[in-house]
């Protein structure tokens, strides 16, 4: 950030009174500008023995496979964000979404929240996907998974499925 | 937002290509400025039969009671944010923090993440607290709780404690 979004004057870095971190502070109007981590919400759509993956049509990870997920928007809930991304990227409806993995990536200031869910009916690639397909565990393209968050969530799911118990998992990706 | 934080020129509202929402777009450099929900991380510190609450020394809710919680910062994990807020507001150390409630407040673009935890040793009011104290269930000042997220988390905790089972709870506060 170079300029104040309120008044357009330059900002400088300073530790405000009562704070202990450098912030972008406006040199003119004094507004303190905060920057905070962003939630990435998505789903793990399951149908019978298979899970749905999307092949990315955009960078980063063009051509690699991922779960439908994206930035949560203002005005929506985490579940709504996850379902919207699933519609947009996979043309898919899901139900019974249950929070399954919460994965912090402090390096990128992201918090992933992935909801295990039941795929309902048909699906089709959205504009951000080259392809959308269902995979059995043995067919998962492990060397072509776009993100560690997705790899981690899939591994946990197949482990938990052995016992039929899917507790929330929280972890950090450094 | 009135001005572009990159170049200082005015922004206007527009729906960018491939998007379906109004964004703040710079009229000069074209930067699209996104705004996303913010995570509020905190703890429910438990010691024996009692829980720790903080009496707020700041608005909103001056004089009312709350759990230690605050905005997650860039570069930290959700657990680190919760533990930092607990140190800052309650002068308290906790351990075995387990994610317990995830509460969306879409009206305010907040997502609360409260971790059930075990209080270790002493505590003392930080600069944002008038007082910090331990409460048995029968002594909770229910009519002086600052936020619905805190009330909801406390209610769930006392209900779950009857059975000794504390699953994750996810809910929306409209
Ligand atoms: Zn300013
Ligand atoms: Zn600009």
């Amino acid at each position: 950030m170079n300029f104040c979004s309120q008044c357009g004057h330059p900002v400088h870095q300073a530790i405000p009174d009562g704070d202990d971190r450098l912030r972008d502070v406006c040199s003119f109007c004094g507004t303190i500008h905060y920057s905070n981590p962003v939630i990435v919400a998505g789903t793990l759509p399951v149908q019978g023995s298979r899970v749905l993956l999307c092949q990315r049509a955009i960078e980063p990870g063009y051509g690699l496979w991922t779960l439908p997920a994206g930035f949560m928007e203002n005005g929506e809930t985490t579940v709504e964000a996850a379902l919207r991304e699933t519609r947009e990227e996979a043309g898919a409806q899901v139900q019974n979404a249950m929070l399954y993995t919460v994965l912090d990536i402090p390096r990128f200031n992201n918090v992933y929240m992935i909801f295990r869910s039941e795929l309902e009916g048909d699906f089709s690639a959205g504009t951000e996907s080259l392809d959308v397909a269902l995979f059995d565990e043995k067919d998962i393209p492990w060397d072509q998974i776009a993100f560690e968050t997705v790899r981690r969530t899939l591994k946990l799911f197949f482990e938990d499925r052995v016992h039929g118990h899917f507790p929330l998992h929280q972890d950090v990706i450094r």
Side-chain angles (χ1 to χ4, degrees), chain A:
Chain A
M1 155 168 261
N2 304 309
F3 297 92
C4 176
S5 54
Q6 288 304 303
C7 78
H9 284 76
V11 296
H12 63 279
Q13 295 249 310
I15 299 175
D17 283 348
D19 202 340
D20 60 359
R21 287 170 189 246
L22 280 172
R23 310 284 182 186
D24 292 312
V25 180
C26 179
S27 307
F28 184 74
C29 77
T31 298
I32 302 165
H33 298 279
Y34 297 93
S35 178
N36 301 89
V38 175
I39 293 173
V40 180
T43 65
L44 168 60
V46 181
Q47 188 176 80
S49 65
R50 298 185 294 176
V51 300
L52 180 145
L53 295 176
C54 304
Q55 190 178 28
R56 289 175 63 81
I58 52 174
E59 294 293 350
Y62 181 96
L64 302 181
W65 294 84
T66 188
L67 292 168
F71 292 125
M72 182 180 176
E73 302 272 7
N74 282 346
E76 63 186 3
T77 67
T78 46
V79 175
E80 287 166 355
L83 298 188
R84 176 181 52 71
E85 292 290 344
T86 305
R87 284 193 307 275
E88 289 178 2
E89 299 187 356
Q93 304 287 337
V94 295
Q95 64 176 19
N96 295 333
M98 302 281 288
L99 186 57
Y100 182 55
T101 52
V102 175
L103 299 170
D104 289 292
I105 315 181
R107 192 165 34 123
F108 297 142
N109 301 317
N110 284 167
V111 178
Y112 272 70
M113 298 177 70
I114 305 291
F115 294 76
R116 190 170 57 89
S117 62
E118 298 164 16
L119 177 63
E120 288 281 287
D122 217 359
F123 52 85
S124 62
T127 55
E128 295 184 5
S129 304
L130 296 173
D131 194 7
V132 178
L134 290 168
F135 292 86
D136 270 309
E137 181 177 3
K138 65 178 173 45
D139 300 321
I140 297 277
W142 291 110
D143 58 344
Q144 296 170 60
I145 299 295
F147 305 114
E148 179 60 22
T149 48
V150 171
R151 185 190 316 276
R152 193 83 58 107
T153 299
L154 291 170
K155 289 272 187 204
L156 289 165
F157 173 73
F158 293 123
E159 286 170 22
D160 285 348
R161 194 169 66 174
V162 174
H163 307 288
H165 177 55
F166 302 91
L168 176 84
H169 296 278
Q170 182 161 39
D171 207 349
V172 178
I173 294 171
R174 299 285 177 185

